[in-house]
Amino acid sequence: MTQSVAVVTGASRGLGRGIARALGRCGFTVYLTGRNASELEAAAAEVNAAGGCGVSVVCDHRDDAAVTAMFERVRQEGGRLDVLVNNATAVYPAELSAPGPFWEKPLHLVDMIDVGLRSSYVAAYAAAPLMIATGGGLMVHISFYGAVSYFHGPAYGAAKAGTDKMAFDMAEDLRPHNVASVSLWPGFILSDLIKAVPPEQLPPELVARLPTFETPEFSGMVIERLWQDPQRMQWSGETLIGAEMGQRFGLKDLDGKAPLSYRTSMGAPEQRFLCSD
């Protein structure tokens, strides 16, 4: 049986790393991209330990030629591409979450439109011919509730809102080729970095909320189930909340809980999610 192949961008840490681990548990060959070679190698080793095959590829998603070369490597080595997870983004957590209006914050916050929105477009551009040749697949573009509500300011919001619209428009072009394109909103993530910090060193309000956070693997579980769904193309073009998809598929997080949807509290309008049962 041919092994399924996935590319997860920005997989050296955080959400992308957990998604890669989850796909490894499902037997995927996972190409993990990022800029830090040692972190990528450690992440690829976790994919191997989970039962998949992890391949670390150092790739700066600001470099279009490097991205194109990475997908050519996937074509030559794997011969197919079933799942693309566009997760790479330029994030500056402390500066994004600092109080104050956007003009009083560093201008480089706008980088997430370049490495985030634009880099996802470039990756999809390079991946599409291989996915079409494979005979069907799934593109997942990681976004967030900041697309429809104020969260970390206009640079963050523009990147996320653009990601949702990009996923929709790509779906229109890809539909005749049986390749689905969706935007996925995870919840608040219990990353490896957060877990490594002693609770006494975290803000008390964050510690109180941590039990409600979802693991990064949960998004990977949702992605794999969506890829397996015989009705996958019905979801194409949609912006999907990971927690709600988990409920639909009967998935639980690694600790057994059902992650929370923040549709109401984060202002996601009902009409954005149109797929019927």
Side-chain angles (χ1 to χ4, degrees), residues 151-180:
F151 189 82
H152 290 337
Y156 186 95
K160 299 309 180 185
T163 294
D164 293 353
K165 184 59 165 67
M166 180 189 71
F168 174 85
D169 286 356
M170 286 182 174
E172 292 298 305
D173 289 346
L174 290 166
R175 199 177 307 279
H177 305 285
N178 197 38
V179 177

Side-chain angles (χ1 to χ4, degrees), residues 15 25-26 88 102 121 145 148 184-185 198 212 237:
L15 180 63
R25 288 172 54 192
C26 298
F102 71 92
Y121 183 99
Y145 298 85
V148 296
L184 181 69
W185 294 359
T212 68

